[in-house]
Amino acid sequence: MRRIPLVMRSVRFPVSAALLRRLALASIIANVGIVVTGGAVRLTASGLGCPTWPRCTDASYVATSEMGVHGVIEFGNRMLTFAVGIIAFATVLAVLAHRPRRRGLLALSVAVFFGIPAQAVVGGITVLTNLNPWVVGLHFLASMAVIAAAYALWRRVADPDAPAVTVVPAPLRALTGLTTAVTVAVLVIGTWVTGSGPHAGDQGAARNGLDPESISQVHADGVFLLLGLSVALVFAFRAVGATGPARAALLLVAVELGQGVVGFVQYFTHLPGVLVGAHMLGSCLVLLAALHVQWSTRERRPAVATPTAAPAREAVPATA
């Protein structure tokens, strides 16, 4: 029997770049989705629906009928983690099967994949600490980190394997980096606001002790700073003719305004659960929009093949 070379067997089922990018996009959507469902767990006071971890109860890995609807909600959210992990694992396999091999894709896909169980462990610690508000905030921020890695993978798949070059002046790159840093700071402070508010995830869960009105004002100040920086980016990019980055910054401003409206309405209507959930979704969108701006300030351009000079013809001796 004729043996198939190892190289041919390894690419028997090649994965296209289009499929790989769809999987990366699915990973982004799935991780955003689990942030929203995790918020639903807290907003329905189901945070301790499964009172321990990794089991749901001391005697069962699954929710029991005695635990009621809170157990169903909490256990259902735990099961979604497996679905998100399956998508991430499929993405890793797709990266391995993709030809030609792409530099950097494997590291990003593995980071997303291992970030999911790491985030699940933080979630388990959240339960074991009876929904300590600081750990709850860390649980949310861990999800933000996984979303950022998934976004980087999605963008990187579409880029060629060439060195990245900036498309805006260095001061504007620095301003973009500052805007991204302020975005992260606003998200962190937002978890402090959440930890001081009424939605603890369980009636017996403690709060972080911060004054809700004062920390909300600090959060609002950060949002105003972020909005000002984002508007400045729009005009600065337009001034240097950077059309793509200007459009990305304008999208960021639009997302921030929408998120700001939801934030102010939820504050003045005493934090209804539906609006708090919408605000959590908006936080994910703000992060993605900020990363979009950051990514738009540089490009990876395909290498241009330089024509090789034709070989010189060998001189033919003249005949008499």
Side-chain angles (χ1 to χ4, degrees):
M1 180 181 294
R2 183 180 176 185
R3 299 185 64 184
I4 301 176
L6 180 60
V7 175
M8 292 182 63
R9 281 184 286 168
S10 65
V11 295
R12 187 174 180 180
F13 302 105
V15 172
S16 67
L19 176 57
L20 187 54
R21 199 155 196 250
R22 291 191 192 101
L23 284 170
L25 179 60
S27 191
I28 296 174
I29 295 172
N31 280 284
V32 170
I34 204 166
V35 169
V36 176
T37 59
V41 171
R42 181 169 57 84
L43 295 170
T44 57
S46 302
L48 294 178
C50 288
T52 189
W53 187 88
R55 297 184 181 218
C56 192
T57 69
D58 291 334
S60 175
Y61 280 99
V62 300
T64 62
S65 57
E66 292 81 5
M67 302 170 67
V69 66
H70 294 309
V72 173
I73 293 173
E74 165 64 6
F75 182 72
N77 188 64
R78 291 187 183 188
M79 290 299 97
L80 285 177
T81 301
F82 288 99
V84 177
I86 289 171
I87 295 173
F89 184 63
T91 305
V92 173
L93 295 180
V95 168
L96 291 173
H98 180 62
R99 294 294 183 276
R101 284 286 179 87
R102 300 287 309 282
R103 186 171 63 244
L105 295 189
L106 183 59
L108 286 171
S109 63
V110 169
V112 173
F113 176 66
F114 281 105
I116 292 167
Q119 194 260 11
V121 169
V122 177
I125 296 173
T126 300
V127 173
L128 296 176
T129 57
N130 294 319
L131 305 184
N132 180 289
W134 301 106
V135 183
V136 171
L138 180 61
H139 190 40
F140 172 80
L141 295 174
S143 291
M144 294 295 103
V146 176
I147 290 172
Y151 179 83
L153 175 62
W154 179 69
R155 290 298 299 259
R156 187 68 183 85
V157 170
D159 287 345
D161 287 332
V165 295
T166 58
V167 296
V168 298
L172 294 189
R173 279 280 292 172
L175 181 59
T176 304
L178 176 61
T179 304
T180 304
V182 172
T183 300
V184 174
V186 167
L187 292 175
V188 172
I189 298 172
T191 65
W192 302 347
V193 176
T194 298
S196 69
H199 297 293
D202 185 80
Q203 293 181 352
R207 303 283 73 203
N208 59 21
L210 298 175
D211 177 61
E213 185 174 350
S214 298
I215 195 62
S216 294
Q217 183 61 57
V218 173
H219 183 57
D221 292 342
V223 171
F224 286 129
L225 174 60
L226 177 59
L227 183 59
L229 290 171
S230 303
V231 172
L233 280 177
V234 173
F235 286 101
F237 287 148
R238 286 180 175 177
V240 297
T243 305
R247 284 198 299 263
L250 188 60
L251 175 62
L252 175 59
V253 170
V255 174
E256 289 168 353
L257 288 174
Q259 174 74 335
V261 169
V262 173
F264 277 107
V265 172
Q266 72 167 2
Y267 180 79
F268 290 109
T269 55
H270 308 292
L271 305 175
V274 172
L275 289 182
V276 174
H279 200 56
M280 293 184 69
L281 173 61
S283 297
C284 299
L285 298 180
V286 168
L287 174 64
L288 290 171
L291 293 174
H292 179 48
V293 176
Q294 186 77 44
W295 212 274
S296 70
T297 59
R298 59 188 184 86
E299 293 179 355
R300 294 180 186 269
R301 296 164 183 166
V304 179
T306 56
T308 56
R313 294 184 178 181
E314 188 177 353
V316 179
T319 55

